[in-house]
Amino acid sequence: MKQIIATEKAPQAIGTYSQAVRHGDTVYLSGQIALIPETMELVEGEIDGRIHQVFKNLSAVCEAAGGSLQDIAKLNIFLTDMSHFATVNEIMAQYFEQPYPARAAVAVKQLPKDTDVEMDGVMVL
């Protein structure tokens, strides 16, 4: 049986998807962008703030599912500009401890709400 995961501590879905779906001990985390949950507005300014907000949003969904960022087995990062790759690595090190999850970082042409970073993942509890 699958269980839908939802929390008000992360942005509400802006499309036809759930924040996460749990099946057994696996949780599939939908993509998170840098929306502030209370206002549903994107974090403005430099990309650093948006990367932090994405990790905060992912963390809130992980916690709602009964886990934490440390339980993420696979993380996918989508960037509209790969020149931010090093910044993502620096900030990610503030949220994760070794051993790090498996990961992909992919350059894409465009993301929802014209933001520049999105992340999704798979968590194992």
Side-chain angles (χ1 to χ4, degrees), residues 19 28-34 47-48 50-59 61 69 72 74-79 84-85 87-89 91-92 95-96 103-106 111-112 115-122:
Q19 290 172 327
Y28 301 90
L29 305 162
S30 289
Q32 289 290 329
I33 59 176
I47 192 169
D48 303 46
R50 286 185 294 284
I51 295 168
H52 281 289
Q53 187 65 50
V54 169
F55 281 122
K56 289 175 188 174
N57 293 343
L58 282 174
S59 181
V61 177
L69 290 176
I72 292 178
K74 176 68 163 83
L75 182 69
N76 297 306
I77 302 169
F78 306 95
L79 295 165
H84 298 299
F85 183 76
T87 303
V88 168
N89 282 333
I91 295 172
M92 183 176 168
Y95 291 90
F96 289 86
R103 189 183 86 175
V106 180
L111 291 167
T115 193
D116 44 11
V117 59
E118 180 174 3
M119 297 181 207
D120 70 9
V122 177

